[in-house]
Structures are given as C-alpha cells and as structure tokens.
C-alpha cells in the first residue's frame, strides 16, 4: 500500500500494525524520480505486508525538519513503531528489496 504522509497521519502510520517505509522526496529531485518507481513497485510486491509512505519535503517541511532530513531521497524504515534502518541517496532495486525483506 502507498500513501501520502503528512504531519497529521505520520504517527498513526508509524505505529500501525504493519512495517512502515517513508520516502522523503521532492518533485525537482532527479535521484528521487529514479527511486520513486522502484519503491512503488516494491509497495505493490509487498502489498498487505508493508506500508509505503511518500513525504514531499516541499509540502511537509515540518516533518523533514523534525527528522533532520538534509539530503533526498532519504528512506526511513519503521518496524513496531521504532526506526529500524535508514538509507540516504538513490539505491538499486535489489538493495531496496533487501531492506523491505528485513522488515518482515
């Protein structure tokens, strides 16, 4: 499942019953445009097992500041409401798939 993340729904998504992956991105970011389709593909592959959240740093500057996001894409992986891992920068599909698998 893929959802848009905002300040209002972040906590409920993070503390949900499924692992949560949040992608901090922006429309003008080239590496973000490369990673976005890969994450969407993985969200479909892990449908029902992992929730993918997309957080546009331009629209949600408060969340980006709260998490100290300085470079995008930054991808945070949550399991049981706790930060499990973090990746900064564009990654291969194989690496991202490996990270999704670690959440299960």
């Amino acid at each position: 499942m893929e959802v848009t993340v905002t300040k209002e729904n972040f906590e409920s998504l993070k503390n949900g019953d499924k692992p949560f992956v949040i992608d901090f991105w922006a429309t003008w970011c080239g590496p973000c445009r490369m990673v976005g389709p890969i994450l969407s593909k993985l969200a479909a592959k892990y449908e029902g097992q992992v929730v993918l959240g997309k957080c546009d740093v331009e629209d949600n500057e408060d969340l980006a500041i709260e998490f100290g996001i300085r470079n995008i894409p930054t991808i945070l992986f949550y399991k049981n409401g706790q930060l499990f891992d973090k990746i900064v920068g564009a990654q291969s599909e194989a690496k991202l798939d490996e990270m999704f698998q670690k959440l299960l």
Side-chain angles (χ1 to χ4, degrees):
M1 178 168 74
E2 194 170 327
V3 297
T4 299
V5 177
T6 64
K7 182 87 170 158
E8 291 73 31
N9 68 1
F10 173 77
E11 286 296 322
S12 64
L13 290 167
K14 179 185 86 160
N15 295 313
D17 61 343
K18 293 179 178 64
F20 176 53
V21 177
I22 180 170
D23 174 27
F24 287 93
W25 69 287
T27 56
W28 47 263
C29 170
C32 298
R33 290 193 305 265
M34 291 178 357
V35 170
I38 295 170
L39 289 172
S40 294
K41 181 178 177 182
L42 291 173
K45 178 179 178 179
Y46 292 98
E47 181 75 34
Q49 299 174 70
V50 176
V51 175
L52 171 65
K54 305 283 286 178
C55 184
D56 186 328
V57 296
E58 296 288 320
D59 295 337
N60 297 284
E61 187 176 333
D62 50 348
L63 271 179
I65 290 169
E66 182 178 333
F67 289 98
I69 305 301
R70 289 182 167 71
N71 299 301
I72 53 175
T74 293
I75 305 165
L76 304 179
F77 298 83
Y78 285 89
K79 187 173 187 175
N80 300 320
Q82 300 295 316
L83 183 62
F84 178 76
D85 213 336
K86 174 181 178 177
I87 291 179
V88 178
Q91 302 292 322
S92 69
E93 183 174 342
K95 175 64 175 174
L96 291 169
D97 189 38
E98 176 185 322
M99 297 304 297
F100 271 68
Q101 289 177 29
K102 285 182 181 180
L103 287 174
L104 304 178

